[in-house]
Amino acid sequence: MSMKAETRAVVIGGGVVGVSTLYHLARKGWTDAVLIERKELTSGSTWHAAGLLPLFNMSYSVGQIHKYSVRFYQELQEETGMNVGFTNCTNVRLARTKDRWDEYMYYAGIAETIGVPVKVLTPEQLKEVWPLCETDGILGAIQHPDDGYIQPADLTQALAKGARDRGATIYRNTAVTAIEQRGDGKWLVSTDKGDIVAEHVVSATGNFARRTGAMVGLDVPVIPVEHQYIVTEPHPVIVERKRQGLPEMGVLRESDSSWYMREENGGLLLGPYEKGAPVCYVDGPSDDSEYELFQEDLERLMPHIEAAIARVPAFGEVGIKKVYNGAIAYTPDGSPIIGPAPGLKNFWLNEGHSFGVTAAGGAGWQLAEWIVDGEPSIDMMGVDPRRFGPYATEGYLIEKNEEAYANVFTMHYPDEERAAARPLKTTPLYDRLKKLGAVFGSVYGWERANWYAPAGHEVPKEQLGVGADVLTGENHAPPLEDGRIVEKWSFRRSNYFEHVGNEVRNVHEHVGVLDMSAFAKARVSGRGAREWLESVLANKIPKKRGRIALCHLLTRQGGVRSEFTVYESSPGVFYLVSAGAYEAHDHDVMRKLLPEDGSVRFDAVTQALGVLVLAGPDSRRVLQKLTRTPLDNAGFPWLSGKKISVGTATADALRVNFVGELGWELHHPIEMQNHIFDKLMEAGAEFGIKPFGIRAMTAMAIEKSYRLIPRELSIEYSAWESGLDRFVHPDKGDFIGRDALVALREKGPRWSFVTLEVHDVTDADARGSEAIYRDRVLVGRATHGGYGFRVGKSLALAMVKPEHAAPGTGLEIRILGRLHRATVIGESPFDPENTALRA
């Protein structure tokens, strides 16, 4: 079949992910879409996948994607008349430790809020559904009734038929040799069978992701890891069960021993996730690679095999039929990358799928929405390719991806900070803060102080480990150089709780300093700068130089995409600050909106500038000792900024912060950071100045009901629903999302943003994703939560149905399986009048 000359979209890669993308583009009406596969469909990693469909995922985005897939695969079977081999045998996850049970109960909240049914099983009920499973040492289990497994090759062929039936074209045995963007913005895709021109290109090339990316100058953060699974000979008991017509036993997962097991042709299939599994295909597979497996290495798997035999003795009673050792694509955090490639127009990534069979349906669906309509329909921040930055290069990926693989079944504590490839990006202050007891976390490659451990602080030995001899029992950060372990991870309040409280108290009563240099920072300049910012952001850009505005970039549907602090630092030059974690995302989105006439420049300055936050009632007295600039309200009002001297250094001081106390952010040349910090500590000594960390900042932000992307601010909630009325001005003229907002105001909200006081909390606060009820009926979800040290209350931020949003309304929230009373309270439980900020 000869190659078409032109199409709207070319999908590169004929595994299950690529073919699903093609199908969904065709279903959205792009019936001329084309897929190019170098060999045969499924010949990369799809053919050797175990075909599991785990609905379990701690990520909101990924959870939504998996939920769609499981439903869609059954509809596809109806539509195409092709059997996809879906076995709805359910899935059972075992818990051997209290921490694991907390994880399952936390997950159950996520599942309920996205509509995934989860059943809780006692050891006795477990024995009924999995009679070959020993139940000693099991606290309980959770079961997904909708879960099971599928035949990946059959699924791919059904997707291919569905796509072709809708008009799409598939070219097999056709290798892409080059991809380049022409002057008119269209892509020229060259293959060994001819060229094709496309408006959009989707890379779904699995193990070849980095090689495909290199063709267009991208460093794609994907390197595969070797994954092995073992298939046994048939077992007489299973064969007999089948003969009797008994139901197939579900997919069994013993998370605490890091393995999954299911029936396979009368025998059993065991897939362990071991430590020490190596990355593979670092430079990509060879050109002739097809249906490729690696040499097995059972030695690495022995602890898992032994644990599996102890749990399911039948596994050890039959011989091994075959061992598969194949490549699975990984990213540094284990979630796929689905969305626009940074810096390129109309080039899309659907790569890094470690659960590709489960995610393929949902990933294809959302990417097609994004390509055709310009927006996805669910919040995709957790899988956006731009959550990684230019720091995620080969050496980093090798360490992080092996770590992500080894941690598939470890406990996903909300406060866990993984150690591989760290420290990578540090500010000049790093060593000073470390000496002061900083316990660091990592965001976007940067080391940030989460909290400060007092001198000599150590977690007692008896609190380490999870109280059972399990393979995934690590519940703490690696030891410091002197051997002390200072942080224990938990779903509950942990050892750092009181120390974070002390940091909050010191900021509230005296003065504290926080290093926020990881903030994403940019300068917008040029003759059209002001006009352009007015046309893309929803708030008014302050007319008066030196005033600060909080501005949001909305989607065309009126949802919230990004948040910026905007400050005109010199005439016609605007300084934009946004979340450090989303630098690549926010800057890429803004660059792609720039006018083509060159009238506006957008320059990233994150690395050039540091940020120190000075906050607390004594902050004015401390800073005034170091500068001649008057800092009183008349000379330096709240929400304004100006350039000042700090000692012999200089900084843009912005009177704004995320903690709700009097204070300034000092944005300074990074090379002056140590000087400024030392001067602040010296000047603040008499006032009891101490550094504070991100956890104290977050606790204080919750007390102010401050919203965060992608929690309370998301493309799924309109700016009105997120309570941004003060920052959104449809009357100012046109901006992105304005028309949708006007229409939505007429229509009324589906959700309302509320602050809740949670009652009867002893040791577990809300964290976000908990289910919220009224009279046991689901009415919303928590987006954030924690203890408010200044107000002395456990708090949650949430999105609820509008009829339940009035202050005083009594609701319930389920935290780690336990139902708590909750009351809607007014916004900003701490200092609602902003008296401290304006002091």
Side-chain angles (χ1 to χ4, degrees), residues 49 60 64 92 110 135 155 198 215 233 252 422 436 525 579 656:
Y60 176 79
Q64 293 272 32
V92 176
I110 298 174
T135 58
L155 170 63
M215 290 181 183
E233 298 290 355
L252 187 69
R422 289 179 52 202
L436 291 166
S525 59
V656 62

Side-chain angles (χ1 to χ4, degrees), residues 463-500:
Q463 289 181 24
L464 300 175
V466 289
D469 180 21
V470 295
L471 295 175
T472 56
E474 249 169 49
N475 66 344
H476 57 81
L480 304 179
E481 283 96 337
D482 62 8
R484 284 180 302 131
I485 290 169
V486 295
E487 176 170 272
K488 178 190 165 188
W489 300 326
S490 178
F491 286 86
R492 299 171 184 270
R493 294 176 186 171
S494 193
N495 69 296
Y496 52 81
F497 179 79
E498 65 167 303
H499 306 301
V500 170

Side-chain angles (χ1 to χ4, degrees), residues 68 105 174 322 328 346 386 444 454 468 480 486 659 668 686 689 816 820 825:
Y68 170 88
M105 291 301 98
T174 305
K322 184 160 175 60
I328 299 191
N346 296 344
R386 299 162 295 185
Y444 198 69
L480 304 179
V486 295
V659 301
H668 52 270
E686 63 173 300
I689 194 169
L816 302 184
H820 292 262
I825 56 176

Side-chain angles (χ1 to χ4, degrees), residues 451-471:
W451 63 285
Y452 289 81
H457 175 78
E458 194 169 0
V459 178
K461 292 272 186 290
E462 62 275 10
Q463 289 181 24
L464 300 175
V466 289
D469 180 21
V470 295
L471 295 175

Side-chain angles (χ1 to χ4, degrees), residues 20-70:
S20 171
T21 307
L22 180 74
Y23 170 90
H24 283 91
L25 284 168
R27 197 173 81 174
K28 286 286 288 181
W30 284 23
T31 52
D32 67 335
V34 162
L35 182 140
I36 300 173
E37 161 55 41
R38 50 185 281 282
K39 296 287 186 187
E40 291 293 344
L41 299 185
T42 78
S43 65
S45 283
T46 302
W47 75 275
H48 65 66
L52 305 180
L53 298 174
L55 285 162
F56 184 90
N57 203 286
M58 301 301 263
S59 154
Y60 176 79
S61 309
V62 179
Q64 293 272 32
I65 285 167
H66 287 193
K67 179 184 89 166
Y68 170 88
S69 295
V70 171

Side-chain angles (χ1 to χ4, degrees), residues 9 21 24-25 28 30 61 65 200 202 336-342 346-350 362-387 555-557 561 585 588-589 592 715:
T21 307
H24 283 91
L25 284 168
K28 286 286 288 181
W30 284 23
S61 309
I65 285 167
H200 295 262
V202 180
I337 52 173
I338 308 166
N346 296 344
F347 194 92
W348 305 81
L349 297 168
N350 202 350
W365 162 55
Q366 280 303 298
L367 200 56
E369 298 283 317
W370 213 333
I371 293 169
V372 177
D373 297 339
E375 302 285 352
S377 56
I378 59 176
D379 168 32
M380 296 287 279
M381 216 49 153
V383 294
D384 194 296
R386 299 162 295 185
R387 68 188 187 275
T555 66
R556 307 242 168 243
Q557 283 77 31
R561 163 152 294 176
H585 172 274
D588 185 57
V589 169
K592 285 173 177 168
I715 70 161

Side-chain angles (χ1 to χ4, degrees), residues 95-171:
R96 290 171 57 188
T97 68
K98 283 198 175 72
D99 279 24
R100 183 65 71 183
W101 195 248
D102 278 352
E103 179 186 50
Y104 288 174
M105 291 301 98
Y106 177 69
Y107 164 72
I110 298 174
E112 186 160 8
T113 59
I114 64 175
V116 171
V118 173
K119 270 170 73 174
V120 171
L121 304 179
T122 63
E124 295 70 40
Q125 291 167 316
L126 165 65
K127 194 75 181 168
E128 283 167 32
V129 296
W130 242 94
L132 300 188
C133 176
E134 296 296 323
T135 58
D136 52 310
I138 296 292
L139 301 183
I142 57 170
Q143 183 181 34
H144 280 102
D146 299 346
D147 202 313
Y149 64 91
I150 202 161
Q151 298 304 328
D154 296 348
L155 170 63
T156 308
Q157 294 302 341
L159 286 163
K161 180 180 191 304
R164 288 189 185 108
D165 288 351
R166 291 168 184 275
T169 309
I170 295 175
Y171 299 111

